[in-house]
Amino acid sequence: MSFTIDYVKNKNRIIVTSDGMDVEDALAYAEQFPKVLKKTKRGFTGMTVITGGMVFKQEVLAILAPTSEDAVKAGISTKHKWVYVAPTSFYKTQMHRMFKDIANLYESIEEAETYLDSAGN
């Protein structure tokens, strides 16, 4: 299992790709995410693309949960929510439960990018 966190400066967007996470991955993510947030400007947008078929365990969700608050504090767009592109309805349900106030769910990367690009960053 693994993940990447990239910052796309010209779009002021964080893009996370993950094929699933175990506790070790989640701890590494929680350490790296604030460093990436420091690169953003206020009003940034974000997208997480989940490519794997494994569900996140509760321990992983507990480690990841504070990252949404970190994004809000760093100035995530108030016009557009963070987006998740997930392969299964279970992931969508899990992400909605965890991030419902700051996230939208999409079927495809294209749909998610269209939504985020309309933010005007």
Side-chain angles (χ1 to χ4, degrees):
M1 291 183 270
S2 63
F3 67 90
T4 61
I5 307 173
D6 297 306
Y7 176 63
V8 181
K9 185 177 182 177
N10 67 324
K11 290 192 173 200
N12 195 26
R13 180 170 302 152
I14 296 172
I15 299 177
V16 177
T17 304
S18 175
D19 64 359
M21 286 191 185
D22 57 22
V23 170
E24 187 175 302
D25 292 323
L27 290 169
Y29 180 91
E31 182 181 320
Q32 290 178 32
F33 189 70
K35 294 173 185 174
V36 175
L37 285 174
K38 289 180 181 179
K39 298 177 183 180
T40 66
K41 295 180 283 180
R42 294 198 73 71
F44 72 93
T45 58
M47 174 170 51
T48 298
V49 180
I50 301 170
T51 61
M54 296 185 66
V55 297
F56 291 116
K57 294 180 180 178
Q58 290 302 317
E59 297 88 359
V60 170
L61 294 175
I63 295 166
L64 297 177
T67 62
S68 63
E69 188 175 313
D70 293 341
V72 170
K73 287 179 183 175
I76 191 168
S77 172
T78 56
K79 181 178 178 186
H80 286 67
K81 295 182 177 185
W82 192 283
V83 298
Y84 284 85
V85 179
T88 67
S89 58
F90 186 81
Y91 268 124
K92 291 175 188 161
T93 301
Q94 201 173 43
M95 294 300 104
H96 179 71
R97 242 187 253 134
M98 194 161 125
F99 300 117
K100 66 182 170 191
D101 294 332
I102 67 161
N104 282 344
L105 303 167
Y106 287 93
E107 298 285 324
S108 72
I109 292 171
E110 294 77 20
E111 288 177 305
E113 286 180 335
T114 298
Y115 167 79
L116 292 175
D117 288 345
S118 71
N121 287 332

